Amino acid sequence: EGYIERIQGKGSYLRFKGLDQNISKFYSFNDEITKMGMVPSSVFLKLDLVEADKNIAEMLGIKERDLLYLLERLRLANDIIIAYDWSYVPEYIVPGFDKEMILDGSLYDVMDRHYDARPTVAEESLEAISIDEADALKMRVKPKSSQLLVTHPF
């Protein structure tokens, strides 16, 4: 949840309290947000079939140019955007993956239900970025503001 911060001469602002997340072990966004007493949700942005670049290929232990699904979503807690999430899943694990599948539930649930493939480990990349105009618009923040980019290859 957020709280109200009043700054004399400037006004009142809604501030998000932040998240307490242990990233040293595998976790589910939905489960973790629920444990914190908040309601998780996602806004689907796009799903593309792309070729793995050198960095993603190394993280996944696959070959450069192997096909991956790139799922982009906004992640929310109590309807407040808290993350812009990019998830990479090798095409051979989820052949025929489509948008309708992900609109039905979490990525892990879709992988489990449709492909009998639920991840047990994942590598997560965290990077401080200056957000570009297109992504800032999606997240409803100022362009060039500092943000945390979280990338999930499976």
Side-chain angles (χ1 to χ4, degrees):
E1 286 192 26
Y3 62 92
I4 302 289
E5 179 179 348
R6 288 179 174 71
I7 301 174
Q8 187 159 352
K10 294 196 176 208
S12 298
Y13 301 89
L14 180 63
R15 297 285 184 194
F16 186 69
K17 288 182 182 178
L19 300 175
D20 182 19
Q21 171 58 47
N22 179 356
I23 61 171
S24 66
K25 62 181 178 123
F26 187 76
Y27 68 94
S28 157
F29 175 84
N30 288 348
D31 293 346
E32 292 301 313
I33 296 301
T34 301
K35 276 193 239 176
M36 293 177 207
M38 294 180 273
V39 177
S41 60
S42 297
V43 175
F44 173 87
L45 298 175
K46 71 178 180 177
L47 178 67
D48 287 329
L49 192 58
V50 300
E51 291 182 351
D53 65 20
K54 182 180 177 181
N55 292 334
I56 296 297
E58 285 177 10
M59 289 174 81
L60 287 170
I62 61 174
K63 295 178 186 162
E64 200 169 333
R65 302 189 64 172
D66 277 358
L67 292 177
L68 306 167
Y69 284 102
L70 168 57
L71 171 62
E72 293 184 34
R73 300 173 286 179
L74 296 179
R75 306 308 298 263
L76 295 82
N78 289 353
D79 294 326
I80 298 171
I81 298 170
I82 60 170
Y84 186 165
D85 183 275
W86 292 17
S87 297
Y88 292 93
V89 184
E91 188 272 341
Y92 72 86
I93 293 175
V94 291
F97 185 59
D98 65 37
K99 174 183 173 179
E100 282 68 37
M101 291 176 178
I102 198 63
L103 295 178
D104 237 6
S106 78
L107 177 58
Y108 299 159
D109 289 343
V110 168
M111 290 174 71
D112 188 31
R113 189 171 57 244
H114 293 277
Y115 300 100
D116 196 28
R118 187 165 179 100
T120 56
V121 295
E123 187 167 329
E124 190 167 79
S125 170
L126 301 151
E127 179 183 356
I129 62 167
S130 176
I131 197 163
D132 65 30
E133 286 189 39
D135 292 339
L137 182 62
K138 293 172 193 168
M139 290 193 67
R140 300 180 197 125
V141 297
K142 291 181 183 177
K144 299 187 179 165
S145 64
S146 297
Q147 300 294 324
L148 187 63
L149 174 64
V150 181
T151 304
H152 304 275
F154 290 95

